[in-house]
Amino acid sequence: MGKTFQRPEALSDAVTHYCPGCTHGIIHRLIAEVIDELGIRGRTVGVAPVGCAVLAYNYFTFDFQEAAHGRAPAMATGIKRVRPDLMVFTYQGDGDLASIGMGEIVHAANRGEKFTTIFVNNAVYGMTGGQMAPTTMPNQRTTTSPFGRRVDEVGMPIKVAELLAALQTPGYIVRQTVISPKYIKRAKRAIKQAFTYQKEGRCYSFVEVVSTCPTNWGMTPMEAIQWTQDTMLPYYELGELKTPETTD
Amino acid sequence: MGKVLMKGNEAIGEAAIRAGCLNYFAYPITPQSEVAEYLSRRLPEAGGVFLQGESEVAVSYMIFGAAAAGARIFTTSSSPGISLMCEGISYIAAAQCPAVFVNIMRGGPGLGGILPSQADYFQATKGGGHGDYRMLVMAPASVQEAVEMVMTAFPLAEKYRNPVMILGDGLIGQMMEPVEFPDDLRSEPSNKDDWATNGMDTRRSDKRNLVKSLFLDPDQLNRNNLALKAKYDRMNREEVRYETYHMDLDYRVLIVSYGTMSRVCRTAIDNLAEEGIDVGMIRPQTLFPFPVQQVHDAAQKQSCVHVASIEMSMGQMVEDVQRALQGVKPVSWYGKCGGDVPTPEEIMEFVRTLL
Ligand SMILES: Cc1ncc(C[n+]2csc(CCOP(=O)(O)OP(=O)(O)O)c2C)c(N)n1
Ligand code: SF4
């Protein structure tokens, strides 16, 4: 009998630097599987963010560019405009995408740039030690909201998928999570759909993945999953917000 | 092709196309918006890519992405816009990607004004963004020279895998002059397969390419900075360009001036010669690398009693002139930075005070 489970060709064999229980690793694997299944490794260029995934390129086996904080969508625009035949994706955290890079993501999406964004929403700035992000939950304690996020001072967390779905142009906007096998399957389907739309040259595609950061949440991996389920998912509702079919 | 009468900004756009660069991203700003307006019509017709970005910050990263993917690419802006691009320029230099930036300078600081200026000398030549990087900076004094510098900028950017800047003042962008696009300055984009993220299939290779600027290991970061320094040292040895005026005379004053300002200085020098005051001039065409040795040697002439840096800034290039002279002759600065160019009379008056 042959192997039934192996490392995707698009994924390297490097040991990741991610913390135990961090969902970045799962999301990397899903992307690699999709790239293998679509047979696009040789024409894919990834754009890494500044955040915990800044070293994402160490875990993939295809071309990669490293952006400045928040600017990945502008870099992806540059690549895709001069080389529409390449498959391009940005991989971005919530501080990167929803704070410093909000301008770049909104305009890239609104222009309908034909690349894909994988948006990892873990409700904090992971890399810099757990500061408050635009996606931090009400009353959630972080290192810069030690008494909990006060919505009267800093507003409610930004629902990026809904915000982008309010624009007319972007074609595929979806939110999933990876906190259980059932959800992981759905997340993979969404990522594959997103890359497929890009391959067909159809539209901009955006997959938000509600994720965990046990280290900065001060939780065990299991507690983090439970907290995601109980606190984040009721606010960040899962599902397709927009498909090219609903837009057309 | 013969000469045509063109506005500087449009000629710059056309020069890029003639040089074989068919990709342009930009954000509008006076006094250079005509480049974008011109290319928004011309590039689609030439089969190229035109995109108006949402900000100069975004544009600088569109440039980075496209350059890293192996394309010839350029942008144009003016002072406040270049300030925003400096973040991207630092990353592009660190990641060693070729790209061309044109700055048609206006007065600053802050919003400043929309009239000509040379106040971004420090920003261009000393690294406007963070970290140890340099750009090769060329300063045209006419529309024709702007065309030639734009055309040579692309192969130079590729040779050094480094950003190259054309530093023009507002007059260069706005004035109309007869221009020619020399065929011999056309060039083919170089092969970038050994580093560009242009897709493994494109270069028929199993080895993936990575374009990045993060080196967490201090040795690696130091090594990257040494590699950059080696390139800048090589530029200092091989790329210095300058022009001289009246240097065969026994000049008593040596003027160092560039861009539009140097044209006014020529008139002042001619008029002073009629009065019997001989003045020579060095016009740096590259501001980085700066003609350090040439300025130093020219000041050594027995007859020369004073060196003057004349610029449309509050005294920036003068620091490079002082660096070049190492104290061998006295150095003064003269300039204005409100938007109007000093007149020949004002320069003559200033030169007389030096004697
Ligand atoms: C211009 C700039 N500002 C600030 C930083 C510091 N910084 C690095 S990562 C980061 C936040 C990353 O958080 P997020 O995007 O949520 O990703 P995560 O680490 O949680 O995956 C910040 C603020 C930087 N590198 N560059
Ligand atoms: S800090 Fe958080 S996001 Fe970063 S690797 Fe650790 S768990 Fe993951």
Side-chain angles (χ1 to χ4, degrees), chain A residues 41-42 45 54 57 60-66 68 71 74-75 77-79 81-83 86 103-104 107 111, chain B residues 49 54 57-58 61-62 64-66 68 87 91 197-203 208-214:
Chain A
R41 193 175 73 96
V45 181
V54 63
Y57 43 73
F60 292 106
T61 60
F62 44 82
D63 283 2
F64 240 96
Q65 299 185 8
E66 176 195 86
R71 316 297 180 214
M75 291 187 65
T77 298
I79 309 167
R81 289 276 170 157
V82 300
R83 286 291 308 272
L86 294 176
E104 281 77 8
H107 284 278
R111 285 189 301 262
Chain B
V49 174
E54 65 270 31
V57 176
Y61 289 97
M62 292 175 186
F64 187 10
E87 187 198 47
Y91 281 76
T197 51
N198 54 0
M200 292 187 293
D201 288 351
T202 305
R203 53 183 186 272
R208 70 91 171 256
N209 285 339
L210 185 58
V211 173
K212 63 165 196 158
S213 63
L214 178 71

Side-chain angles (χ1 to χ4, degrees), chain A:
Chain A
M1 195 178 126
K3 275 192 196 169
T4 54
F5 189 77
Q6 58 190 351
R7 181 165 45 78
E9 204 188 354
L11 203 64
S12 79
D13 59 1
V15 177
T16 78
H17 68 288
Y18 298 119
C19 307
C22 176
T23 40
H24 271 304
I26 300 174
I27 302 166
H28 284 18
R29 182 175 173 105
L30 297 184
I31 293 171
E33 286 179 1
V34 164
I35 286 173
D36 276 14
E37 286 165 23
L38 296 177
I40 53 174
R41 193 175 73 96
R43 59 185 179 105
T44 296
V45 181
V47 186
V50 176
C52 280
V54 63
L55 298 174
Y57 43 73
N58 287 341
Y59 314 130
F60 292 106
T61 60
F62 44 82
D63 283 2
F64 240 96
Q65 299 185 8
E66 176 195 86
H69 198 22
R71 316 297 180 214
M75 291 187 65
T77 298
I79 309 167
K80 198 73 190 182
R81 289 276 170 157
V82 300
R83 286 291 308 272
D85 56 315
L86 294 176
M87 293 287 293
V88 180
F89 73 95
T90 68
Y91 185 104
Q92 302 178 259
D94 41 24
D96 193 82
L97 182 142
S99 191
I100 197 166
M102 188 57 115
E104 281 77 8
I105 192 68
V106 167
H107 284 278
N110 192 56
R111 285 189 301 262
E113 297 295 344
K114 302 210 173 29
F115 66 82
T116 299
T117 295
I118 309 297
F119 171 44
V120 179
N121 175 3
N122 61 12
V124 284
Y125 284 26
M127 190 195 209
T128 40
Q131 294 83 11
M132 186 177 67
T135 47
T136 294
M137 296 302 295
N139 302 317
Q140 183 185 341
R141 284 170 196 263
T142 71
T143 53
T144 50
S145 59
F147 311 110
R149 178 187 183 121
R150 295 203 43 184
V151 296
D152 55 334
E153 281 179 6
V154 297
M156 289 291 284
I158 299 178
K159 296 182 178 182
V160 179
E162 282 80 352
L163 192 143
L164 296 182
L167 303 169
Q168 300 227 344
T169 318
Y172 184 61
I173 311 279
V174 56
R175 183 185 289 118
Q176 293 297 348
T177 185
V178 287
I179 56 169
S180 77
K182 171 184 80 178
Y183 288 125
I184 291 173
K185 273 196 202 137
R186 289 184 196 163
K188 177 166 171 192
R189 229 177 292 140
I191 293 170
K192 190 160 182 180
Q193 188 59 259
F195 276 89
T196 304
Y197 284 134
Q198 180 182 171
K199 200 176 169 197
E200 293 166 354
R202 272 197 75 184
C203 59
Y204 173 70
S205 49
F206 177 91
V207 183
E208 175 169 340
V209 185
V210 180
S211 302
T212 64
C213 178
T215 303
N216 287 304
W217 294 356
M219 296 179 193
T220 65
M222 289 313 290
E223 286 167 351
I225 284 173
Q226 198 58 49
W227 190 82
T228 306
Q229 180 80 54
D230 298 343
T231 312
M232 289 181 80
L233 293 191
Y235 187 76
Y236 296 116
E237 286 174 46
L238 305 183
E240 285 180 344
L241 287 96
K242 222 172 170 196
T243 64
E245 288 75 21
T246 56
T247 318
D248 289 347

Side-chain angles (χ1 to χ4, degrees), chain B residues 11-231:
Chain B
I12 284 169
E14 185 62 31
I17 294 179
R18 303 296 179 103
C21 175
L22 292 176
N23 306 298
Y24 174 81
F25 306 125
Y27 188 82
I29 183 169
T30 309
Q32 63 74 54
S33 298
E34 295 89 350
V35 187
E37 289 167 358
Y38 181 79
L39 289 175
S40 67
R41 273 178 284 119
R42 251 312 254 136
L43 273 172
E45 165 190 306
V49 174
F50 169 89
L51 182 66
Q52 179 170 323
E54 65 270 31
S55 71
E56 288 89 347
V57 176
V59 165
S60 69
Y61 289 97
M62 292 175 186
I63 296 284
F64 187 10
R72 261 198 182 172
I73 183 82
F74 93 115
T75 187
T76 60
S77 185
S78 180
S79 313
I82 298 288
S83 289
L84 286 188
M85 289 185 185
C86 282
E87 187 198 47
I89 292 174
S90 166
Y91 281 76
I92 293 169
Q96 305 203 50
C97 291
V100 174
F101 292 82
V102 179
N103 181 2
I104 300 297
M105 289 179 281
R106 57 188 250 180
L111 263 187
I114 56 169
L115 294 172
S117 158
Q118 295 180 323
D120 300 342
Y121 182 92
F122 283 154
Q123 186 196 54
T125 60
K126 313 287 177 191
H130 61 286
D132 270 308
Y133 77 88
R134 298 299 175 118
M135 284 183 285
L136 205 158
V137 183
M138 293 189 275
S142 66
V143 176
Q144 180 63 38
E145 196 175 36
V147 161
E148 289 167 16
M149 285 178 172
V150 167
M151 292 183 80
T152 45
F154 293 99
L156 276 171
E158 286 167 9
K159 171 178 170 188
Y160 287 99
R161 283 180 55 189
N162 200 71
V164 172
M165 177 168 276
I166 309 297
L167 193 67
D169 48 74
L171 271 169
I172 296 292
Q174 292 301 322
M175 76 188 154
M176 283 189 92
E177 285 188 318
V179 286
E180 207 167 5
F181 299 92
D183 274 337
D184 59 345
L185 291 184
R186 265 172 219 269
S187 58
E188 286 298 315
S190 61
N191 185 313
K192 305 181 173 92
D193 283 353
D194 52 340
W195 64 268
T197 51
N198 54 0
M200 292 187 293
D201 288 351
T202 305
R203 53 183 186 272
R204 292 187 188 78
S205 161
D206 289 335
K207 188 182 104 20
R208 70 91 171 256
N209 285 339
L210 185 58
V211 173
K212 63 165 196 158
S213 63
L214 178 71
F215 300 94
L216 288 170
D217 175 64
D219 278 343
Q220 277 187 18
L221 179 57
N222 193 46
R223 232 177 294 139
N224 195 53
N225 276 312
L226 285 172
L228 298 186
K229 184 175 185 307
K231 295 197 303 189

